[in-house]
């Protein structure tokens, strides 16, 4: 009788271990969303549009300039998370970027502005954009904006240069 109980307990323990491993693999793969590698390269912001907003409703994005000032900007993103964007007027900004996975909000592109002497880990403020779509040649990111009881979006369309 003891032997049957020990065998049953051992089988249940092994089954529990396998099911635990299986569950963590499933959660891990479903929460990864878009891989970091999809963003690496040089991107050009080709269009800014508005969904649920009037075109001039947003005067400033990324605490820097009007959305239209970003059209034609170049964003260089490395696999290490370092990056830089340069506006057509020559203004540039060093950033540290990453992909953020949230079970409620989905997968988002996030970045922090990095100034001389800053370390990314010490910078607390940044920006998160919803990933509407991404492929090897283009991506669309959205910034949510509260409008009354709803949400509108500033929509950024990028094409990949390399």
């Amino acid at each position: 009788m003891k032997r049957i109980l020990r065998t049953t307990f051992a089988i249940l323990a092994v089954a529990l271990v396998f099911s635990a491993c299986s569950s963590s693999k499933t959660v891990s793969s479903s929460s990864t969303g878009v891989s970091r590698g999809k963003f690496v390269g040089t991107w050009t912001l080709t269009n800014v549009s508005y969904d649920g907003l009037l075109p001039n409703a947003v005067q400033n994005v990324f605490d820097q300039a009007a959305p239209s000032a970003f059209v034609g900007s170049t964003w260089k993103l490395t696999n290490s998370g370092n990056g830089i964007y340069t506006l057509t007027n020559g203004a540039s900004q060093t950033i540290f970027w990453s992909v953020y996975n949230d079970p409620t909000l989905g997968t988002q592109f996030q970045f922090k502005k990095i100034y001389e002497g800053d370390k990314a880990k010490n910078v607390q403020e940044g920006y998160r954009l919803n990933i509407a779509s991404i492929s090897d040649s283009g991506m669309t990111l959205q910034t949510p904006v509260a409008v009354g009881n709803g949400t509108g979006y500033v929509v950024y369309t990028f094409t990949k240069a390399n």
Side-chain angles (χ1 to χ4, degrees):
M1 180 72 160
K2 279 185 173 180
R3 188 169 191 194
I4 293 173
L5 286 175
R6 276 191 225 155
T7 305
T8 303
F9 180 72
I11 291 171
L12 287 173
V14 169
L16 181 63
V17 168
F18 281 119
S19 71
C21 290
S22 175
S23 294
S24 72
K25 285 181 185 174
T26 301
V27 169
S28 170
S29 66
S30 67
S31 66
T32 57
V34 179
S35 72
R36 176 182 192 85
K38 282 280 202 186
F39 293 92
V40 174
T42 301
W43 298 86
T44 301
L45 199 157
T46 56
N47 187 48
V48 175
S49 59
Y50 303 90
D51 181 10
L53 296 170
L54 295 173
N56 293 323
V58 177
Q59 298 295 314
N60 189 304
V61 292
F62 312 131
D63 296 317
Q64 185 162 357
S68 60
F70 284 84
V71 174
S73 64
T74 302
W75 295 60
K76 295 180 182 180
L77 307 174
T78 67
N79 197 38
S80 67
N82 295 311
I84 187 168
Y85 65 77
T86 305
L87 303 182
T88 56
N89 69 4
S92 63
Q93 177 64 56
T94 302
I95 62 171
F96 185 81
W97 69 275
S98 61
V99 177
Y100 179 75
N101 293 300
D102 184 277
T104 306
L105 300 173
T107 307
Q108 298 177 307
F109 175 84
Q110 66 181 5
F111 70 93
K112 304 174 184 184
K113 289 183 173 182
I114 306 296
Y115 297 99
E116 190 172 333
D118 282 346
K119 292 187 178 192
K121 68 179 181 176
N122 297 333
V123 176
Q124 299 299 313
E125 294 181 8
Y127 310 90
R128 283 196 183 137
L129 293 88
N130 297 336
I131 303 167
S133 67
I134 186 162
S135 69
D136 292 338
S137 60
M139 74 174 159
T140 303
L141 304 177
Q142 302 173 324
T143 299
V145 177
V147 179
N149 293 333
T151 303
Y153 298 91
V154 178
V155 181
Y156 306 93
T157 304
F158 293 82
T159 57
K160 193 167 190 180
N162 65 15

